Amino acid sequence: MSDIIRIACMGDTMPGGILHYEQIDGFCSKELLEVLRQADIRVATLETAVGDTPDFDEEKMKRDKDVIYCPTKNLYRLKELGINVVSLANNHAWDLGLPGIEQAKVELDKLGIKYCGAGRNRTEASAPAVLNVKGKTIAFIAYCDNKSGTCGYIPVATDTTQGINIMTEGNIRE
């Protein structure tokens, strides 16, 4: 067995919605699936909220209103892709508010997919997703930029408030 651990990193992944909703075949190219199968770990950004009853985040709706969410039944696509861990630190994870984040975590747990980057407070949002592969322990952490104009409204986790793990030099050093 090789000591080399192959990690495939994917960007924004939205398993559902208007682009792929109910599409059975061809949702992903065979070539991409083959590349993913060759990796030991597959990481993606879950660039969507998760839920079946869209109750949009009130603060987001007061501002930019660019909401993306997928029904919970579509998360199985992540498993089909072999995704092991997802980042929740992005500008759409919170589009359905805390219930959407909590629903995503419940569904990801059911699928055996680890996650990081968002939570009920800063401690939870900054906690790593830990995987054991080939006898090695690998931890993933996720951050999101929150500069005005780059990604719209996102709640930022603090010691006492829910949100995403914000990308600052201090957070990264810590």
Side-chain angles (χ1 to χ4, degrees):
M1 175 165 68
S2 171
D3 286 344
I4 296 172
I5 297 174
R6 292 179 177 90
I7 302 174
C9 298
M10 298 174 61
D12 297 352
T13 305
M14 300 172 221
I18 61 170
L19 297 179
H20 299 294
Y21 188 69
E22 300 296 332
Q23 186 173 351
I24 304 300
D25 296 319
F27 76 97
C28 183
S29 74
K30 289 178 183 172
E31 294 83 8
L32 177 57
L33 287 173
E34 183 55 36
V35 169
L36 292 174
R37 282 188 194 107
Q38 293 174 21
D40 299 302
I41 300 172
R42 288 153 299 277
V43 182
T45 296
L46 183 58
E47 185 74 15
T48 181
V50 176
D52 296 319
T53 53
D55 188 10
F56 304 135
D57 182 74
E58 288 181 26
E59 189 61 32
K60 184 145 193 172
M61 295 309 289
K62 288 179 192 174
R63 298 172 185 227
D64 53 15
K65 299 180 180 124
D66 62 333
V67 174
I68 298 173
Y69 75 96
C70 81
T72 57
K73 69 179 185 173
N74 289 345
L75 280 184
Y76 77 94
R77 294 290 193 194
L78 297 176
K79 198 68 172 175
E80 284 184 350
L81 293 170
I83 301 299
N84 305 90
V85 62
V86 294
S87 167
L88 300 176
N90 66 75
N91 61 315
H92 289 291
W94 222 269
D95 286 0
L96 299 180
L98 181 61
I101 285 288
E102 294 301 315
Q103 182 67 37
K105 290 177 178 181
V106 165
E107 298 301 320
L108 291 166
D109 284 340
K110 287 179 188 175
L111 293 169
I113 298 172
K114 305 283 186 172
Y115 47 83
C116 55
R120 293 179 179 270
N121 54 48
R122 186 170 178 253
T123 300
E124 190 175 297
S126 63
V130 179
L131 292 117
N132 293 298
V133 178
K134 294 185 176 182
K136 305 223 187 281
T137 301
I138 300 173
F140 291 87
I141 51 177
Y143 302 94
C144 185
D145 179 14
N146 193 29
K147 294 178 184 166
S148 179
T150 59
C151 60
Y153 167 75
I154 325 168
V156 174
T158 69
D159 290 339
T160 59
T161 62
Q162 63 198 19
I164 56 97
N165 193 22
I166 190 69
M167 184 172 59
T168 65
E169 185 176 339
N171 279 355
I172 293 169
R173 285 182 186 276
E174 186 179 307

